[in-house]
Amino acid sequence: MRHIISILIENESGALSRVAGLFSARGYNIESLTVAPTEDPSLSRMTLVTSGNANVVDQITKQLNKLIDVVKLVDLVEASHIERELMMVKVKADEQSRNEIRSLADIFRGKIIDVTNKTYIIEITGTSEKLDAFVATLNPDHIVEVVRSGATGICRGDHGLHV
Amino acid sequence: MELSGAQILVQSLQDEGVEYIFGYPGGAVLHLYDALFQQEGVKHILVRHEQGATHAADGYARATGKPGVVLVTSGPGATNAVTGIATAYMDSIPMVVISGQVPSPVIGSDAFQEVDMVGITRPCVKHNFLVKDVTKLAETVKKAFYVATTGRPGPVVVDIPKDITDPKIKVPYKYPKKVVMRSYNPVTAVSKNQVKKAVELLLNAKKPMIYSGGGVVLGEASQELTAFSQLLGFPVTNTLMGLGAYPANDKQFVGMLGMHGTYEANMAMHESDVIIAIGARFDDRVTGKLDEFCPYAKIIHIDIDPASIAKTVKVDVPIVGEVKQVLALMIELIAEHKGKVNKKALEAWWLQISQWQAIDCLQYDRDSMLIKPQFVIEQLYEVTKGDAYVTSDVGQHQMWAAQYYRFSKPRRWINSGGLGTMGFGLPAAIGVKLAFPDAHVACVTGEASIQMCIQELSTALQYKTPIKIINLNNRYMGMVRQWQEFTYESRYSHSYMDTIPEFVQLAEAYGHVGMRVDQPDEVRPALEKAFAMTDRTVFLDVITDRTENVYPMIEAGKAHNDMKLRVATGTSTDRELA
Ligand SMILES: Cc1cc2nc3c(=O)[nH]c(=O)nc-3n(C[C@H](O)[C@H](O)[C@H](O)COP(=O)(O)OP(=O)(O)OC[C@H]3O[C@@H](n4cnc5c(N)ncnc54)[C@H](O)[C@@H]3O)c2cc1C
Ligand SMILES: Cc1ncc(C[n+]2csc(CCOP(=O)(O)OP(=O)(O)O)c2C)c(N)n1
Ligand SMILES: [Mg+2]
């Protein structure tokens, strides 16, 4: 099963490599990993998407908690949450395909953020699943490049992950 | 008080109460060595190889419970220390390793003797630090000791760029009394509910087993373990790391479990209906084949590290906490409880166990014309009255020491279990002897292992640490040869050396006493003579039966009830010397 682990971690140099190193050393898989400082510059928020059975994910969270730099973490899929990922896709947009691509982008609530006479860059946010779906609708021959941020997420309701 | 970084480091170590620092100098740590030179509080032990420094500090830590401290230079000094750091990591030993680093401005430029120590050690330390600001140095040292010694202990590396220790830059110094780290709170509160559940299970058990490990030694809970076990009257087995935490001569002790554990311990684990694991981590040398591990048992697991729980084996009652605290609470709850242990079932269980014990799985040929290694350990036990600190290397000799030296106190048995590091024994013995100058310290080793850190014989002379080295010389990497005999049709691929040094002369060259023993009846007198020389390091080169194997054995991938036992050999049927 897919899990989204959201981690509050000391914003120290090397903190990211501790997490990445843990995953490679113990053979856990990482689908995506994003990290950026929070409103408190001494803390970073990291979102890690992984998959595995209950035992594996139990070990993953325990091992992450064991890292000295990790302050707190939560597995977002355990409760109601919102997941978002940002994607930018550069597609070939010639005379014939322009309209079709624009309407596809509209359907997915994408924005065209750059235009040349040969290409569009489309920006879309949503769950990773939605982004996958959008990519799947595009003609592969039209795709120049795809850039994705990796998923981030936040839990719904009053509570939050903070110190 | 204004001090330079170098002085701050040394002063911090003093304020931390550090007695010994094991180290080796080099360019990146010269400022530190200069500061060490100008003080007397911390005694520096100059080893002959940085691996020796880490093992000596580790031996000191295992014997005392205090953190071992190491100082190495950047680059090769740092990499040489890695094996010892990993050794300490695998066995959860508290250690602080200070490594020099190239000056901050040139980090990342492939500078002379630069190596990314923080990166290299990351997977084998509890935590590590790169010091970037001299004003944070004292606090970082405090944190390093705090992290190394609390919770599940482990090694911590502090990497210090040379400019941080610059004698010209002085800053105010104050060693923090306490550190608070918001991201590190070793668990303290024990769930009483979980302990209650465990007590219910224990009191209803018919075939209970107490399986205790290194956590009892690390957590100073030997007394509690003994009281708990004797209150219940249950059989006790120890892991290799737990030996000594429960007195081996007590009638409730059924020996070590696992790959080279006793028949009775492993059979009892297999048949048990309730197992309480106390500070033990279900290592693969212990569990054997996982699918068939303790098929009938409900399992209670006490461990300070939540990640140790349910890592390889599912447990029914997890209890996160300090063993000492949990056991004390358990004893209290058992005493208060209306229920009592099932006496009748327990009697039947002990009867069953005594039948397994009757097989006498540790028997060996006592009438052999050759020196049997087991006999040497038994004699060592008698000569030292079971009260020595025994360090070991890795191999058959290690297993024999574990099986035949009946440890009755914690911290007396000092060996590398998790990493299995050959070369550990001699430097570790030096560390132990420094901590306990009046105690008997023996290093049980093999002719292959001892050569991995043999240079530390020189350190032993310089610091007058008279230890007794018992070299069970079978002219083989016996443990490797045994596996090759059992699983590779005796193709002894590179498990012996054509050239083995003359150890007696080698010991003498290093300034010690060397003695060769090749007859069974010389063993006892030689040991007595060696231990009588209280001010000399003695190297006993004991020529043993080279074909001897370690029994019993659970071969890789087999279950506890599928042990290979020694086939009774009768008298003096020593197999042909290969
Ligand atoms: C050649 C060779 C053969 C071996 N054969 C065997 C064998 O036959 N049998 C055997 O048992 N081992 C054997 N070993 C050793 C084996 O590899 C492991 O090192 C050992 O089994 C681990 O012991 P342990 O489970 O007690 O855990 P340790 O490594 O000692 O770990 C201690 C556990 O206790 C926990 N802990 C620490 N402090 C506390 C505290 N204060 N409170 C609560 N919990 C705490 C830790 O989190 C950890 O989970 C062999 C090793 C070698 C090299
Ligand atoms: C550093 C290191 N290298 C290799 C091994 C693998 N190994 C385990 S036991 C052993 C042989 C040890 O031989 P010796 O020291 O003579 O002990 P014996 O088994 O003969 O008692 C080897 C090579 C190891 N444990 N450590
Ligand atoms: Mg040997």
Side-chain angles (χ1 to χ4, degrees):
Chain A
M1 194 182 139
R2 182 167 175 267
H3 293 259
I4 306 172
I5 301 175
S6 191
I7 308 166
L8 214 49
I9 189 167
E10 295 288 351
N11 189 7
E12 298 275 346
S13 69
L16 176 62
S17 68
R18 288 183 207 279
V19 173
L22 173 72
F23 274 68
S24 64
R26 293 190 182 265
Y28 307 141
N29 73 61
I30 301 185
E31 258 168 44
S32 70
L33 176 65
T34 73
V35 58
T38 63
E39 79 287 1
D40 171 352
S42 71
L43 286 170
S44 292
R45 178 87 173 232
M46 196 181 276
T47 311
L48 203 152
V49 180
T50 183
S51 57
N53 63 34
N55 287 346
V56 172
V57 174
D58 179 54
Q59 265 299 309
I60 290 177
T61 51
K62 284 171 168 177
Q63 294 291 349
L64 282 169
N65 263 316
K66 216 170 132 173
L67 293 177
I68 305 291
D69 283 340
V70 169
V71 183
K72 266 184 190 167
L73 62 83
V74 62
D75 183 353
L76 290 175
V77 300
E78 276 175 359
S80 174
H81 68 280
I82 295 167
E83 173 194 340
R84 288 290 180 273
E85 181 174 357
L86 168 75
M87 174 167 73
M88 290 182 278
V89 194
K90 189 182 286 176
V91 288
K92 289 184 200 148
D94 52 26
E95 289 291 311
Q96 303 115 42
S97 60
R98 271 185 182 234
N99 286 342
E100 185 198 335
I101 290 170
R102 207 162 45 216
S103 61
L104 266 180
D106 279 347
I107 295 171
F108 282 85
R109 294 180 200 279
K111 279 191 292 191
I112 293 168
I113 54 173
D114 185 69
V115 180
T116 69
N117 53 7
K118 290 197 190 110
T119 60
Y120 280 157
I121 297 176
I122 305 163
E123 175 198 311
I124 299 192
T125 55
T127 63
S128 303
E129 210 181 346
K130 172 180 158 182
L131 306 192
D132 291 343
F134 179 69
V135 174
T137 60
L138 294 172
N139 179 343
D141 294 338
H142 288 165
I143 298 176
V144 180
E145 56 181 318
V146 174
V147 183
R148 297 174 65 153
S149 64
T152 63
I154 192 163
C155 52
R156 287 184 188 273
D158 302 341
H159 49 283
L161 192 64
H162 46 72
V163 283
Chain B
M1 191 172 25
E2 297 246 313
L3 298 177
S4 73
Q7 290 168 323
I8 287 176
L9 183 87
V10 173
Q11 191 57 48
S12 300
L13 295 178
Q14 283 189 16
D15 290 348
E16 191 61 42
V18 173
E19 199 181 359
Y20 290 108
I21 184 163
F22 300 86
Y24 207 92
V29 287
L30 283 178
H31 299 325
L32 286 172
Y33 269 84
D34 195 48
L36 272 175
F37 190 83
Q38 301 178 46
Q39 56 89 51
E40 294 195 332
V42 183
K43 288 180 234 98
H44 181 269
I45 304 296
L46 177 67
V47 294
R48 301 300 183 261
H49 185 299
E50 289 86 353
Q51 183 182 348
T54 51
H55 292 331
D58 183 328
Y60 173 90
R62 290 181 203 237
T64 60
K66 293 189 263 182
V69 186
V70 175
L71 173 59
V72 295
T73 192
S74 68
T79 54
N80 271 351
V82 172
T83 299
I85 294 171
T87 302
Y89 179 70
M90 290 297 279
D91 291 340
S92 308
I93 304 304
M95 185 188 278
V96 172
V97 178
I98 315 286
S99 53
Q101 183 52 278
V102 300
S104 315
V106 300
I107 287 182
S109 68
D110 300 321
F112 177 62
Q113 295 194 326
E114 176 178 4
V115 72
D116 174 12
M117 184 60 167
V118 165
I120 281 184
T121 58
R122 198 183 54 232
C124 61
V125 291
K126 184 166 172 188
H127 196 54
N128 54 23
F129 297 93
L130 173 65
V131 181
K132 290 181 169 162
D133 177 354
V134 63
T135 62
K136 299 265 169 62
L137 180 56
E139 182 193 323
T140 307
V141 173
K142 182 75 198 175
K143 281 185 183 168
F145 278 93
Y146 173 59
V147 171
T149 55
T150 50
R152 179 179 183 169
V156 175
V157 167
V158 183
D159 200 31
I160 308 181
K162 189 168 184 181
D163 51 311
I164 299 288
T165 54
D166 188 340
K168 293 190 295 293
I169 300 169
K170 301 209 168 180
V171 297
Y173 168 79
K174 193 162 164 269
Y175 195 62
K177 282 208 172 56
K178 236 181 87 183
V179 274
V180 185
M181 294 168 73
R182 63 180 170 187
S183 62
Y184 175 68
N185 300 293
V187 271
T188 43
V190 176
S191 156
K192 194 165 175 178
N193 246 343
Q194 290 297 94
V195 179
K196 274 189 182 153
K197 276 192 216 159
V199 168
E200 288 302 326
L201 267 184
L202 290 168
L203 292 178
N204 286 304
K206 296 199 171 77
K207 300 174 175 181
M209 278 298 283
I210 296 171
Y211 148 46
S212 77
V216 178
V217 178
L218 296 164
E220 308 285 0
S222 175
Q223 265 186 330
E224 286 78 3
L225 172 69
T226 309
F228 167 78
S229 308
Q230 295 183 351
L231 179 65
L232 294 168
F234 293 174
V236 184
T237 180
N238 279 168
T239 66
L240 181 73
M241 302 314 293
L243 294 175
Y246 190 88
N249 289 321
D250 185 83
K251 59 183 191 315
Q252 277 171 244
F253 188 63
V254 296
M256 179 168 88
L257 82 166
M259 180 172 274
H260 291 298
T262 64
Y263 182 67
E264 48 272 30
N266 287 327
M267 287 303 286
M269 286 293 284
H270 193 80
E271 297 294 329
S272 171
D273 66 346
V274 175
I275 291 169
I276 177 163
I278 308 178
R281 59 183 174 85
F282 296 87
D283 183 81
D284 53 79
R285 305 279 105 164
V286 163
T287 58
K289 190 175 181 185
L290 273 175
D291 312 339
E292 286 170 38
F293 175 72
C294 301
Y296 318 110
K298 287 249 185 304
I299 300 178
I300 303 161
H301 189 183
I302 307 173
D303 205 294
I304 191 137
D305 178 5
S308 273
I309 296 177
K311 180 158 58 179
T312 55
V313 169
K314 272 187 76 175
V315 300
D316 301 279
V317 184
I319 303 174
V320 177
E322 283 277 351
V323 258
K324 202 178 172 79
Q325 219 181 327
V326 177
L327 285 180
L329 179 61
M330 224 172 243
I331 291 171
E332 203 182 299
L333 293 183
I334 291 170
E336 283 171 9
H337 202 282
K338 291 189 295 295
K340 291 277 164 291
V341 292
N342 186 337
K343 276 251 163 60
K344 248 180 125 177
L346 201 56
E347 261 168 42
W349 181 226
W350 273 113
L351 183 69
Q352 164 77 78
I353 289 172
S354 65
Q355 284 161 4
W356 288 323
Q357 284 170 323
I359 285 174
D360 193 8
C361 68
L362 294 181
Q363 50 149 313
Y364 63 91
D365 180 7
R366 286 166 199 278
D367 303 319
S368 171
M369 309 283 285
L370 301 174
I371 299 177
K372 288 289 182 181
Q374 300 94 329
F375 174 72
V376 181
I377 305 295
E378 284 180 345
Q379 293 301 306
L380 173 67
Y381 176 81
E382 285 181 19
V383 169
T384 56
K385 304 195 173 57
D387 207 28
Y389 287 85
V390 179
T391 72
S392 94
D393 270 300
V394 174
Q396 292 182 316
H397 61 273
Q398 176 188 24
M399 293 298 110
W400 287 316
Q403 292 174 329
Y404 294 88
Y405 196 100
R406 304 185 64 80
F407 293 94
S408 58
K409 288 181 193 158
R411 302 199 176 282
R412 295 297 165 114
W413 167 234
I414 289 169
N415 82 134
S416 163
L419 200 67
T421 310
M422 291 169 70
F424 176 80
L426 170 58
I430 294 173
V432 176
K433 188 72 185 175
L434 283 166
F436 297 106
D438 300 326
H440 283 324
V441 180
C443 166
V444 174
T445 184
E447 81 296 331
S449 291
I450 192 67
Q451 292 187 65
M452 287 219 176
C453 273
I454 191 87
Q455 73 286 346
E456 301 309 327
L457 279 175
S458 181
T459 311
L461 186 71
Q462 181 171 349
Y463 297 97
K464 303 191 178 62
T465 52
I467 54 182
K468 312 303 167 203
I469 297 160
I470 322 292
N471 186 36
L472 297 179
N473 187 343
N474 52 6
R475 285 86 69 217
Y476 269 126
M477 296 175 197
M479 184 59 87
V480 175
R481 187 200 51 70
Q482 174 167 347
W483 283 57
Q484 290 172 335
E485 181 184 329
F486 290 175
T487 43
Y488 300 92
E489 297 171 319
S490 298
R491 286 185 296 277
Y492 295 157
S493 180
H494 303 278
S495 52
Y496 66 95
M497 295 178 193
D498 289 334
T499 51
I500 292 174
E502 193 48 69
F503 287 110
V504 170
Q505 287 176 26
L506 188 63
E508 285 167 354
Y510 274 107
H512 303 302
V513 179
M515 286 157 64
R516 184 184 159 99
V517 185
D518 52 17
Q519 296 300 320
D521 59 0
E522 290 171 359
V523 171
R524 176 73 177 235
L527 282 166
E528 279 168 352
K529 203 169 147 195
F531 281 97
M533 285 187 258
T534 49
D535 59 345
R536 299 297 299 272
T537 289
V538 181
F539 193 112
L540 284 182
D541 189 22
V542 187
I543 311 302
T544 59
D545 178 356
R546 69 185 319 204
T547 66
E548 188 55 285
N549 287 329
V550 182
Y551 290 104
M553 177 170 182
I554 303 176
E555 288 180 270
K558 298 239 165 117
H560 277 172
N561 62 343
D562 190 6
M563 297 199 85
K564 202 176 178 114
L565 293 170
R566 178 183 302 279
V567 193
T569 45
T571 335
S572 279
T573 48
D574 296 309
R575 289 169 298 157
E576 190 77 15
L577 289 193

